[in-house]
Amino acid sequence: MCGIVGAVSKTNVVAILVEGLKRLEYRGYDSCGVAIHTGTGLERARSTSRVAELEAQGLRAANLGIAHTRWATHGAPAVHNAHPHFSTGIAGQTPRIALVHNGIIENHDALRAELQAKGYVFASQTDTEVIAHLVDSLYVDGGDLCAAVQAALTQLHGAYALAVMAYDEPHRLIGARQGSPLILGVGSDGANYLASDAMALAGVTDQIVYLEEGDVVDVRLDTYHIIQSTPGARPVKTVVAHTGAAELGPYQHYMQKEIFEQPTALANTLAGVESISAGLFGDTAHTSFQAIDKVLILACGTSYYSGCTAKYWLEAIAGVPCSVEVASEYRYRTSVPDPKTLVVTISQSGETADTLAALRHAQSLGMTHTLTVCNVATSAMVRECQHAYITRAGVEIGVASTKAFTTQLAGLFLLTLALAKTKGRLSEAQEQAHLKAMRHLPVAISAALALEPQLIVWAEQFSRMENALFLGRGVHYPVALEGALKLKEISYIHAEAYPAGELKHGPLALVTAAMPVVVVAPNDSLIDKLKSNMHEVRARSGVLYVLADSDSQIKSEEGIHVIRLPEHYGDLSPLLHVVPLQLLAYHTALARGTDVDKPRNLAKSVTVE
């Protein structure tokens, strides 16, 4: 969601800005733009098309510039709402301030009214243009851009990552962050950079400073100065953002590539796990695990469903009570804090705004035992939690998460086993059996991926539908939820999931021959009850699409289509059963001709509330 790139250099920065935006396209966006200081003035190019369109607008060479990909919050996706935004002062003609912004300014209406009263004319409906005019109103000709930005920040309520430049200061860039990520890239030979993601600077610099909440950074050709909001080191870290991760290779879409990368991603995530211990989550995790007697999971979207799966494991295997909360809801209700709770956050990016805010809320209530399962070791989530398990899924470009989900499940299963062992509820024989099963996961998932041709046949049938129902029981109910989410995200088919036992309590009224019903049907202790639920569907002329295990005794017949997974996988069955659902969603979207990797209205990294 929204991307920022900024650069100041002794050489031309335009190619760096445009290439940086291309590397941020995976976040999702509906407009983009570049502003540069040509030496004689500020110029910009903006588009509601792809970043490549900006290049066609013929930007001149420049040594200072800012660039942005926008996911619309205030104002429709349109060129006049695209960043960068200019301020020409009161009734002026020449742009004086250029600014890009990630986040949301909550008091923009009041600020807009004040600025209009002073004579400022607005060209957009965005909250961002308010910041540009506000900075301009505080900036005196020949003055100090950093001081003007700092003064403006005192009036802003909300979240922001900013990159700002001024006509009068052609070799200076100001950055600031509060509630939205921003990094400083330290270059060489008189060049420094700002970005919302280290990946934007891949191939340009690997020397990265992660700015903390409330920091302001004054970036110049050979130097930078961080005005710290809180005392503490802001070290330069070497961060290698692999450019090759963004190559499609033989695949048609990133989502397809990432589905098929899951065996490797899981092998990498589990690499080095020779035994189960709290130490997998950090040097001091054992102390926390001993001190807690329940778990609270906070997450959003797909990560929330991985947390719902983990709840079953934590209670059944570790014997630890667990609650799972939608992060965006948790901090807005009155809850009962318990300092003996382990607060677990789950996030692919580690920058999910709602989850970060929920974590901080839990900490403010005195719940200090915190742990994150996250794919980005340098993220805010990892920095702000006591303990962490870093999944090694690699860069995930497709908006619809796939390999991040299965690697999160792997990390959460390890957490379950570590808690069980700490609490004395995991025998040596059980530990070895679970480790053996986890080591076999890459092979098992490769076998599940081999079902793709059968799922393509299903997808052709689904592509003609407008609604679908997904059913699961027990630990496979969250898998059904995730399957429904994938289908709606990328094919735009309305899909919802229910615990199969809830059919007769309402959803059965929807079942007709035009409502395909997907059933996650492993051969576990609930299989007979699930078969009864399937009979309820068939009795109403519903058509079943069943993902069964090889020994589940469910046969294909009229109105029942069955795909058999190669093996039953016990506690880890959710990791196998979700793979066919990912493939079904992908091929259904392909058949419908939707934008698989960049579905409408969605963004990859949700960094605003």
Side-chain angles (χ1 to χ4, degrees):
M1 175 178 289
C2 295
I4 288 174
V5 189
V8 55
S9 175
K10 294 176 182 176
T11 59
N12 184 18
V13 300
V14 172
I16 291 171
L17 296 173
V18 173
E19 185 61 29
L21 290 188
K22 288 180 179 178
R23 296 193 184 284
L24 294 177
E25 285 187 293
Y26 76 95
R27 287 171 167 250
Y29 66 103
D30 43 45
S31 62
C32 54
V34 175
I36 56 173
H37 198 305
T38 65
T40 57
L42 302 179
E43 296 181 4
R44 68 182 168 189
R46 298 185 291 177
S47 174
T48 54
S49 183
R50 293 303 181 198
V51 171
E53 215 286 306
L54 295 174
E55 295 175 287
Q57 296 190 35
L59 285 163
R60 293 195 285 167
N63 302 125
L64 173 67
I66 53 178
H68 192 264
T69 51
R70 175 181 185 252
W71 186 82
T73 54
H74 296 77
V79 170
H80 69 278
N81 286 325
H83 300 212
H85 286 284
F86 282 172
S87 178
T88 59
I90 299 173
Q93 298 297 319
T94 303
R96 302 183 347 150
I97 299 293
L99 180 146
V100 293
H101 164 227
N102 290 354
I104 291 177
I105 303 304
E106 296 169 357
N107 61 331
H108 67 97
D109 282 334
L111 291 172
R112 181 187 296 263
E114 292 174 12
L115 290 161
Q116 286 174 326
K118 292 179 179 179
Y120 282 91
V121 176
F122 284 77
S124 77
Q125 288 79 50
T126 67
D127 54 341
T128 300
E129 190 182 4
V130 169
I131 313 172
H133 290 317
L134 181 61
V135 171
D136 181 88
S137 72
L138 298 165
Y139 185 71
V140 180
D141 290 340
D144 186 333
L145 179 60
C146 188
V149 171
Q150 286 181 277
L153 298 181
T154 64
Q155 300 185 46
L156 301 181
H157 300 160
Y160 54 79
L162 302 175
V164 192
M165 61 184 191
Y167 169 81
D168 289 338
E169 302 187 52
H171 300 106
R172 193 181 193 189
L173 186 61
I174 305 300
R177 69 152 297 190
Q178 180 69 49
S180 197
L182 189 70
I183 63 167
L184 167 71
V186 182
S188 57
D189 300 323
N192 287 302
Y193 311 93
L194 291 174
S196 49
D197 189 323
M199 192 174 181
L201 303 179
V204 176
T205 182
D206 61 1
Q207 299 300 293
I208 303 297
V209 177
Y210 289 89
L211 301 176
E212 300 292 340
E213 288 287 280
D215 282 355
V216 176
V217 59
D218 187 347
V219 185
R220 308 198 189 211
L221 285 172
D222 296 300
T223 63
Y224 65 87
H225 174 60
I226 299 174
I227 299 98
Q228 298 183 353
S229 58
T230 55
R234 306 290 191 269
V236 178
K237 298 183 178 181
T238 300
V239 178
V240 180
H242 298 286
T243 58
E247 300 300 326
L248 266 176
Y251 298 100
Q252 192 170 352
H253 296 92
Y254 287 112
M255 182 179 178
Q256 183 188 29
K257 174 177 182 278
E258 287 152 13
I259 290 171
F260 279 86
E261 285 176 340
Q262 287 176 109
T264 300
L266 281 163
N268 291 340
T269 295
L270 298 171
V273 179
E274 301 298 331
S275 62
I276 300 301
S277 73
L280 293 170
F281 299 87
D283 294 339
T284 62
H286 183 73
T287 302
S288 288
F289 288 6
Q290 285 184 316
I292 64 96
D293 55 20
K294 59 177 65 71
V295 172
L296 168 64
I297 295 176
L298 303 171
C300 300
T302 286
S303 296
Y304 172 75
Y305 296 145
S306 68
C308 291
T309 307
K311 174 183 171 69
Y312 286 90
W313 292 334
L314 286 160
E315 297 194 345
I317 299 172
V320 177
C322 176
S323 59
V324 188
E325 297 254 9
V326 175
S328 58
E329 291 290 320
Y330 169 69
R331 68 187 175 114
Y332 291 116
R333 70 175 186 84
T334 301
S335 58
V336 181
D338 183 346
K340 297 182 72 175
T341 296
L342 177 65
V343 178
V344 177
T345 63
I346 311 170
S347 171
Q348 189 282 133
S349 68
E351 303 289 350
T352 308
D354 286 317
T355 309
L356 277 169
L359 167 66
R360 292 163 187 160
H361 177 65
Q363 291 170 323
S364 74
L365 296 176
M367 293 190 284
T368 58
H369 298 293
T370 58
L371 183 149
T372 189
V373 176
C374 182
N375 193 40
V376 182
T378 53
S379 65
M381 205 81 71
V382 174
R383 295 197 303 273
E384 295 187 27
C385 284
Q386 277 186 324
H387 319 296
Y389 193 84
I390 308 302
T391 59
R392 294 174 177 84
V395 175
E396 192 176 60
I397 303 294
V399 166
S401 183
T402 52
K403 63 179 180 174
F405 179 71
T406 47
T407 53
Q408 285 171 357
L409 290 179
L412 290 163
F413 195 71
L414 285 175
L415 174 62
T416 298
L417 299 182
L419 282 168
K421 190 169 184 179
T422 302
K423 303 294 185 184
R425 295 169 182 145
L426 187 71
S427 69
E428 176 66 22
Q430 289 170 327
E431 177 178 346
Q432 293 307 312
H434 286 309
L435 285 170
K436 181 180 179 181
M438 295 192 83
R439 293 188 188 108
H440 185 61
L441 270 173
V443 173
I445 286 184
S446 294
L449 289 167
L451 300 171
E452 185 177 32
Q454 298 175 62
L455 289 154
I456 291 173
V457 175
W458 281 15
E460 288 295 331
Q461 298 167 23
F462 270 68
S463 68
R464 297 187 290 272
M465 306 295 179
E466 292 303 325
N467 302 280
L469 188 63
F470 287 68
L471 302 177
R473 295 200 74 140
V475 72
H476 294 88
Y477 167 49
V479 173
L481 286 165
E482 173 63 9
L485 177 63
K486 286 291 154 285
L487 189 67
K488 73 181 77 171
E489 278 182 309
I490 61 171
S491 75
Y492 314 147
I493 292 173
H494 169 250
E496 55 182 311
Y498 275 89
E502 282 291 292
L503 261 181
K504 62 181 70 68
H505 297 286
L508 200 56
L510 297 172
V511 173
T512 67
M515 167 79 86
V517 180
V518 180
V519 184
V520 183
N523 192 18
D524 58 17
S525 61
L526 293 171
I527 188 63
D528 289 334
K529 292 187 180 297
L530 188 61
K531 288 178 180 178
S532 297
N533 302 138
M534 291 165 55
H535 286 302
E536 293 169 354
V537 172
R538 285 300 298 133
R540 277 78 178 175
S541 301
V543 180
L544 292 162
Y545 293 80
V546 185
L547 294 171
D549 288 337
S550 57
D551 55 353
S552 63
Q553 306 301 312
I554 300 174
K555 298 179 181 179
S556 292
E557 55 187 71
E558 184 180 356
I560 304 178
H561 308 276
V562 180
I563 293 178
R564 300 188 186 282
L565 272 72
E567 56 185 311
H568 176 56
Y569 219 64
D571 291 318
L572 290 168
S573 175
L575 281 85
L576 267 66
H577 276 270
V578 78
V579 171
L581 297 178
Q582 295 169 348
L583 288 168
L584 174 62
Y586 171 74
H587 285 290
T588 302
L590 201 63
R592 287 169 69 95
T594 61
D595 191 337
V596 172
D597 287 332
K598 301 183 182 71
R600 68 189 182 201
N601 304 333
L602 299 180
K604 180 65 181 174
S605 182
V606 184
T607 56
V608 298
E609 186 178 356

